Every structure is written in C-alpha cells, then in structure tokens.
Amino acid sequence: MIKPFYSQFLTPTKKFRRLSVLLSVHDSPRISQHRIGELTHLSSSMVNNYVKEFQAEGLLKVSGKTNRTQSYHLTPRGRKELISLLLDYSAEIIRLYTAAKHEVGERLDNLANEGIKTIGLFGAAETAEVVHAATKGTGIKVVAVVDSDPEKQGRAFNGLTIQAPEVLKELDADALVITSFGKQQEIYQQIKEIAGDTFRIIRLSDL
C-alpha cells in the first residue's frame, strides 16, 4: 500500500489523502477507521469525514452497524476513482524520479569531465538505481555494485552482481560512489580501511 511519509519538501494533499483512504479500504474492507487513521496519518475524525464524503459521492458503501461488523466496499465508481488517483500519483512519482535522475546526471557529467570513466556503487538500493540510470549518456560506466548486507550479496543489479565490501581490495575503477543517504561517514571509513587510497571515494553530497 502507498503510505504517507514524512518529507521536508512534499506535503500530502487532499488528493493524496483520498488515495490513501481509498487504498486502505480497498486492501482491507473490514478495517476500522482508527486503523485507517494510523495508516494514512489522519485523525479518526478526518477519516470519518472522508468516509462520509466518499459515500455522498457514490464511491463507497458501508455495511454493518457496529465497529466489529462494519465493512467498507468500493463501488464501481469508487474503483474507477481509485485507479484514476493511482495513475495520477504514479505519473507524478515518475516525473520526480526523472528530475532527480537529470540532476544526478549533470553532476556525473562533471565527474566525467574530471577524467572519471569507471565507478563502483556502494549501497545497492533505490539511490543506486537512480545513479546507475543517470550514468547513461555521461561516458561513465558502472563496473561494480557493493553492499554490506549479506542478504543482497549475490543478487543481480542491472547486469552486475552485488558483491561484499571485501571486493573493494581489487576494485578496478576510477572512483566509488557511496549511494546511501545514511551513515555516509561510517561507510567512508569502512571503504578507507579496506581499499586505502586505491580509488577516489565520492559521497552523494560531493556530487
């Protein structure tokens, strides 16, 4: 389920809240309004207002007379509204992803101009996906992906295999980009201890 998240830049709109509430009842028709509030970060009274609003619009039907027996059912019109909101939401997320990739790509261009042609990525998560995608057209090639999580090691990542940090001792690359927002200094020190000054280490904040 799409859940609200705390952001310093994006504030949930009414449209997003409508999507969250509709998704909650779609995924769990027997859900309580209190639980919907927990999932959507709304007060119970606000959830109740949305439920009444959806009923008035013919998007939602409520059956049962008590909290224990009450359940929610999207009408055909409600399901159509949910799909429409999901498509709008997905389109906006893709636009944000494209903008982020463009910005990272411009910074990678600067690295290419400095002579960096091959890089490794440390941290095989969503940020690494963005950086990897942003290298296209820059002249920079990703030659290795590393992660400390044993659960990720051995998995495929855009044509490469995620490897353990020990591989950094033999990494043949001009630079290693730390593609993690958390514990960057800790990771930096870990890389230094393993590989020394074999290659340039670049934090996301350095891009």
Side-chain angles (χ1 to χ4, degrees):
M1 177 188 160
I2 297 170
K3 296 179 180 178
F5 55 90
Y6 293 108
S7 168
Q8 299 179 52
F9 300 97
L10 305 175
T11 303
T13 62
K14 182 174 182 177
K15 196 171 183 180
F16 181 81
R17 288 170 174 157
R18 283 172 63 92
L19 170 61
S20 297
V21 175
L22 285 175
L23 266 179
S24 298
V25 299
H26 172 268
D27 293 345
S28 305
R30 298 293 299 273
I31 195 171
S32 68
Q33 291 192 10
H34 176 73
R35 180 57 181 155
I36 295 173
E38 289 180 338
L39 292 173
T40 59
H41 298 183
L42 295 171
S43 66
S44 294
S45 62
M46 288 187 72
V47 171
N48 189 253
N49 288 337
Y50 277 111
V51 168
K52 290 178 178 176
E53 185 175 296
F54 293 147
Q55 286 181 287
E57 294 176 18
L59 306 180
L60 186 71
K61 288 184 178 178
V62 182
S63 61
K65 296 181 179 179
T66 67
N67 288 335
R68 288 189 175 184
T69 62
Q70 206 165 55
S71 61
Y72 304 94
H73 309 277
L74 294 183
T75 65
R77 191 174 172 184
R79 286 192 287 274
K80 188 176 179 180
E81 173 71 3
L82 175 60
I83 291 172
S84 175
L85 289 170
L86 270 174
L87 290 175
D88 287 349
Y89 177 80
S90 299
E92 189 156 310
I93 293 300
I94 290 170
R95 285 196 293 272
L96 290 171
Y97 169 82
T98 301
K101 189 178 71 171
H102 176 75
E103 290 297 327
V104 172
E106 287 195 342
R107 282 148 184 78
L108 290 174
D109 274 334
N110 293 334
L111 292 181
N113 292 335
E114 294 172 14
I116 291 178
K117 301 300 179 187
T118 56
I119 62 172
L121 305 179
F122 194 110
E126 290 80 2
T127 308
E129 294 274 2
V130 174
V131 174
H132 188 280
T135 58
K136 294 178 181 176
T138 64
I140 293 177
K141 182 179 181 181
V142 178
V143 296
V145 181
V146 175
D147 200 290
S148 298
D149 185 353
E151 293 290 322
K152 294 182 180 178
Q153 293 164 12
R155 293 184 182 178
F157 184 98
N158 289 310
L160 298 168
T161 300
I162 301 171
Q163 302 181 75
E166 286 68 28
V167 76
L168 296 177
K169 296 175 182 175
E170 301 174 355
L171 178 63
D172 184 13
D174 298 323
L176 182 72
V177 179
I178 302 174
T179 50
S180 170
F181 287 110
K183 301 179 180 178
Q184 290 209 10
Q185 186 57 32
E186 186 178 317
I187 294 172
Y188 181 91
Q189 292 300 332
Q190 180 187 3
I191 297 168
K192 273 286 187 184
E193 290 173 8
I194 295 173
D197 297 320
T198 308
F199 42 75
R200 182 175 167 185
I201 305 171
I202 301 171
R203 304 178 185 86
L204 287 175
S205 57
D206 299 329
L207 287 177

